């Protein structure tokens, strides 16, 4: 038989057959495993909805399922050593396509500099001269402005204002302060292009969810310290009109807060927040490395929020409050060394001065391990004389990402719209 080596095939036929059988069997094994996983997640999340009726609406089921599958995919990709860029691309696409973009909102992508670009959203109806600088979540390491593009198009539609969404650099390749630098430069871009955006520079708000809430709060601190001046210039800009923090992650050193203990079964779990926090802070999982500018650190001191939220008298000296340092700080040192612990730009809840910041609107979810972060920060901001609206929504982390389908998300968004409009009317 010309062109055929029959012996080669006959010798290898058993092996080929075994391989074919194995591949065929694996299809069944994978199918069964997938079905079992989905059944488990479905039952787990249904039980959560049925048992935690005070924390979760029935509509939260889809959000919980989405988060579980999203985290599960990320874990599998890590186990298979799939390149980070592919993992991110897949997770980005899943979120971006979870809902259709608003058909009446115009999107344009603009370049800020070599490191950063922004997505500019202009809805068909614009009712004010304000602008919202939005910073997406994703644990500092995942997701993108593209991931949130459909969601933000609906946000612009409902808020009836221009929104600029930041595509900042991600950790661990680009640890602190890369993301904050990109966000601050994007804010300067908004000021510089205000005329073409048809906005008023005195009506610029910042907002973000989860890790984006952290960056939004840090951005306000940096803007105040620099009086709105660019990182490489002296030109000043108006104060920010307001900050809107959506279930923000504002500290990364403790897993023992009441909300983390009460909601440990929900996303994000303490080990997840600790991991992404350390990757953001130092670029690795090893948080014991030193980070940032030592002059911005408050080594060996307890952040004031500890004694503020515990009802300490406002006139109490910081030194007196630090008497309890050993009791509170020692258990945390393993996960959060002092030089990270005291950096207010990495974790705004560690700041020692939150005075003269823009009015804040903070929304947290009842079934969210990060709930206390937002509540403590709201208390801390009020302590320093800032205006604060604090809202606890009956829902879970991540519920404000699908305004096209979630009535609960839209309801909370309309409250944010009222907050923005009240400030703009005064101005």
């Amino acid at each position: 038989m010309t062109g055929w080596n029959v012996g080669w095939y006959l010798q290898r036929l058993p092996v080929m057959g075994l391989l074919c059988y194995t591949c065929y069997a694996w299809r069944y094994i994978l199918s069964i495993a997938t079905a079992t996983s989905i059944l488990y997640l479905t039952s787990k999340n249904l039980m959560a909805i049925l048992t935690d009726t005070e924390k979760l609406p029935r509509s939260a089921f889809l959000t919980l399922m989405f988060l579980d599958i999203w985290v599960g995919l990320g874990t599998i990709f890590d186990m298979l050593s799939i390149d980070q860029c592919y993992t991110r691309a897949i997770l980005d696409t899943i979120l971006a396509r979870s809902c259709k973009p608003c058909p009446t909102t115009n999107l344009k992508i603009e370049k800020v500099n070599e490191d950063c670009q922004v997505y500019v959203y202009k809805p068909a109806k614009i009712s004010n001269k304000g602008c919202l600088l939005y910073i997406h979540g994703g644990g500092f390491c995942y997701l993108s402005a593209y991931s949130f593009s459909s969601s933000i198009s609906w946000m612009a539609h409902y808020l009836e204002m221009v929104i600029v969404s930041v595509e900042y650099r991600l950790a661990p390749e680009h640890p602190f302060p890369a993301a904050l630098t990109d966000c601050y430069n994007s804010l300067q871009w908004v000021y510089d292009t205000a005329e073409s955006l048809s906005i008023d520079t005195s009506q610029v708000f910042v907002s973000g969810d989860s890790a984006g809430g952290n960056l939004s709060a840090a951005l306000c601190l940096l803007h105040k310290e620099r009086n709105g001046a660019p990182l490489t210039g002296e030109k000043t800009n108006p104060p920010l009109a307001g900050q809107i923090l959506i279930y923000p992650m504002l500290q990364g050193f403790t897993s023992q807060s009441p909300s983390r203990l009460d909601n440990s079964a929900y996303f994000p779990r303490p080990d997840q927040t600790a991991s992404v926090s350390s990757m953001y802070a130092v670029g690795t999982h090893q948080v014991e490395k030193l980070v940032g500018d030592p002059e911005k650190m408050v080594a060996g001191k307890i952040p004031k929020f500890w004694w503020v939220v515990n009802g300490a008298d406002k006139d109490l000296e910081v030194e007196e409050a630090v008497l309890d340092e050993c009791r509170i700080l020692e258990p945390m040192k393993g996960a959060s060394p002092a030089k990270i612990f005291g950096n207010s730009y990495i974790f705004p809840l560690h700041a020692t001065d939150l005075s003269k910041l823009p009015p804040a609107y903070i929304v947290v979810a009842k079934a969210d391990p990060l709930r206390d972060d937002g509540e403590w920060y709201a208390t801390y901001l009020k302590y320093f004389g800032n205006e604060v609206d604090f809202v606890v929504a009956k829902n879970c982390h991540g519920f404000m990402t699908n305004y096209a389908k979630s009535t609960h998300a839209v309801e909370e968004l309309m409250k944010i719209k009222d907050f923005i409009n009240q400030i703009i009317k005064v101005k």
Side-chain angles (χ1 to χ4, degrees):
M1 297 178 64
T2 307
W4 279 72
N5 187 342
V6 179
W8 190 94
Y9 285 94
L10 288 175
Q11 291 173 15
R12 289 158 179 78
L13 187 60
V15 177
M16 293 166 66
L18 181 62
L19 285 172
C20 291
Y21 173 80
T22 304
C23 292
Y24 194 72
W26 268 111
R27 287 162 60 185
Y28 282 103
I29 293 170
L30 288 172
S31 298
I32 293 170
T34 303
T36 303
S37 176
I38 291 174
L39 283 172
Y40 167 73
L41 293 176
T42 302
S43 60
K44 179 176 83 83
N45 291 322
L46 277 176
M47 285 300 295
I49 298 297
L50 294 173
T51 56
D52 271 1
T53 53
E54 292 299 314
K55 293 181 180 179
L56 294 164
R58 290 182 180 179
S59 61
F61 172 76
L62 291 176
T63 305
L64 291 171
M65 281 294 291
F66 177 85
L67 290 170
D68 276 336
I69 293 171
W70 185 73
V71 171
L73 284 172
T75 303
I76 291 170
F77 295 156
D78 274 348
M79 290 171 59
L80 296 175
S81 299
I82 293 176
D83 193 281
Q84 184 98 327
C85 64
Y86 294 119
T87 303
R88 285 172 175 161
I90 293 169
L91 298 179
D92 278 2
T93 304
I94 291 172
L95 181 56
R97 297 188 179 182
S98 61
C99 70
K100 292 183 179 180
C102 178
T104 59
T105 299
N106 180 61
L107 168 61
K108 188 176 182 182
I109 301 176
E110 300 280 3
K111 187 175 181 179
V112 173
N113 53 38
E114 292 300 320
D115 297 320
C116 178
Q117 62 183 13
V118 290
Y119 286 44
V120 182
Y121 299 86
K122 289 188 177 182
K125 180 182 178 182
I126 297 179
S127 60
N128 57 57
K129 287 281 189 180
C131 176
L132 181 70
L133 183 76
Y134 194 84
I135 306 171
H136 69 81
F140 306 108
C141 303
Y142 296 99
L143 304 184
S144 63
Y146 165 69
S147 309
F148 284 76
S149 55
S150 295
S151 175
I152 303 303
S153 71
W154 285 102
M155 178 183 268
H157 168 75
Y158 284 113
L159 294 182
E160 298 179 348
M161 68 188 302
V162 174
I163 296 182
V164 176
S165 178
V166 185
E167 186 77 279
Y168 58 85
R169 286 170 291 171
L170 299 174
E173 306 96 306
H174 305 286
F176 175 86
L180 181 58
T181 300
D182 291 344
C183 293
Y184 194 77
N185 286 335
S186 297
L187 177 60
Q188 298 303 317
W189 181 89
V190 169
Y191 286 132
D192 294 340
T193 59
E195 186 175 348
S196 62
L197 293 174
S198 300
I199 64 167
D200 183 339
T201 55
S202 68
Q203 298 178 13
V204 176
F205 297 77
V206 297
S207 178
D209 66 284
S210 195
N214 173 303
L215 290 165
S216 298
L219 188 62
C220 291
L221 292 169
L222 183 58
H223 184 276
K224 181 192 76 169
E225 181 174 305
R226 295 193 57 79
N227 198 22
L231 294 174
T232 56
E234 300 298 325
K235 173 189 171 184
T236 59
N237 287 300
L240 290 165
Q243 54 180 317
I244 301 155
L245 313 181
I246 302 171
Y247 33 79
M249 184 173 73
L250 298 168
Q251 55 89 17
F253 61 85
T254 179
S255 61
Q256 301 303 307
S257 65
S259 67
R260 280 172 166 78
L261 296 174
D262 294 343
N263 300 304
S264 58
Y266 298 118
F267 177 88
R269 298 192 312 271
D271 60 314
Q272 294 167 336
T273 54
S275 174
V276 296
S277 295
S278 62
M279 284 193 281
Y280 171 57
V282 298
T284 72
H285 291 276
Q286 305 301 316
V287 295
E288 61 268 16
K289 292 184 179 180
L290 303 184
V291 302
D293 178 3
E295 293 181 2
K296 303 293 182 188
M297 312 280 182
V298 189
K301 298 290 184 181
I302 299 174
K304 289 182 184 177
F305 81 87
W306 273 110
W307 51 276
V308 172
V309 297
N310 286 323
D313 186 78
K314 187 172 181 178
D315 296 324
L316 184 66
E317 293 293 330
V318 177
E319 286 72 22
E320 294 179 40
V322 173
L323 293 176
D324 252 354
E325 179 174 352
C326 291
R327 181 176 65 83
I328 296 175
L329 182 58
E330 285 300 327
M332 301 176 188
K333 282 186 176 177
S336 180
K339 287 188 180 296
I340 294 175
F341 183 75
N343 193 311
S344 60
Y345 288 136
I346 298 178
F347 301 122
L349 200 49
H350 300 183
T352 54
D353 181 9
L354 293 181
S355 61
K356 299 178 182 178
L357 287 171
Y361 186 98
I362 302 176
V363 56
V364 297
K366 281 188 177 181
D368 185 354
L370 301 183
R371 185 186 66 224
D372 286 344
D373 287 27
E375 185 174 356
W376 288 346
Y377 200 60
T379 303
Y380 199 12
L381 286 169
K382 289 178 182 176
Y383 170 81
F384 277 96
N386 300 289
E387 298 176 34
V388 182
D389 286 3
F390 178 67
V391 176
V392 181
K394 181 182 175 180
N395 224 304
C396 60
H397 191 89
F399 80 97
M400 292 186 69
T401 53
N402 195 335
Y403 302 108
K405 299 177 182 178
S406 172
T407 55
H408 290 278
V410 174
E411 286 172 7
E412 293 302 327
L413 187 61
M414 298 314 288
K415 295 177 186 176
I416 291 173
K417 182 179 182 180
D418 291 339
F419 168 79
I420 290 173
N421 287 341
Q422 287 174 8
I423 292 175
I424 288 177
K425 282 179 182 177
V426 172
K427 290 181 176 296

